[in-house]
């Protein structure tokens, strides 16, 4: 069975992965989009593992001050090149991570990665990170964060 164009486009918009990877996953899944998505997630995880030892000397420090101005977060997210650091997907990821931290108050990066994403509880933060690595083709790492709360 060959992948239909609409399914390929839908998964491409959702994942940002290459058309050939998506077609292969859809063919492997017999046209089942949900199963193809799982195959793509596994491949993204494999890519992430392969890139994990690459240096992440570039990136961005994201900042968010909560509406009441009584709490704020700073987060450092690293990547391999300044080109990716300026990418819209990377910028959105950093912003989403600041919102996640201020909302869910994780203790450390490990706990953060295990949390359900506040904007889509069907995904973990680790899943978002894997998706970003697959989209950008670079190692991306949440390096550290700090939360400030007035009076603490």
């Amino acid at each position: 069975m060959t992948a239909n164009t609409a399914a390929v486009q839908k998964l491409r918009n959702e994942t940002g992965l290459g058309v050939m990877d998506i077609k292969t996953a859809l063919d492997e899944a017999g046209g089942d989009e949900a199963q193809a998505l799982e195959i793509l997630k596994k491949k993204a995880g494999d890519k992430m593992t392969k890139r994990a030892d690459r240096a992440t000397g570039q990136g961005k420090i994201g900042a968010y001050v909560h509406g009441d101005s009584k709490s704020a977060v700073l987060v450092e997210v690293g990547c391999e090149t300044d080109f990716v650091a300026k990418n819209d997907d990377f910028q959105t990821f950093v912003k989403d991570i600041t919102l996640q931290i201020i909302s869910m108050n994780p203790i450390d990066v490990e706990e953060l990665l295990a949390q359900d994403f506040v904007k889509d509880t069907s995904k973990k933060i680790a899943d978002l990170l894997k998706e970003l690595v697959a989209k950008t083709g670079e190692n991306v790492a949440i390096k550290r964060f700090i939360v400030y709360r007035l009076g603490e």
Side-chain angles (χ1 to χ4, degrees), residues 55-59 77-82 84-85 90 138-141 143:
T56 54
Q58 298 297 315
V77 181
C79 59
E80 296 176 44
T81 65
D82 64 343
V84 166
F90 186 86
E138 287 194 9
N139 186 21
V140 176
K143 294 186 169 193

Side-chain angles (χ1 to χ4, degrees), residues 82-93 132 135-136:
D82 64 343
F83 176 76
V84 166
K86 295 174 185 173
N87 174 294
D88 288 340
D89 292 327
F90 186 86
Q91 300 280 329
T92 299
F93 177 79
L132 184 62
K135 281 183 182 180
T136 63

Side-chain angles (χ1 to χ4, degrees), residues 109-122:
V109 173
E110 187 176 318
E111 183 181 331
L112 172 65
L113 290 171
Q115 289 181 340
D116 291 337
F117 181 37
V118 293
K119 290 184 175 180
D120 180 357
T121 57
S122 70

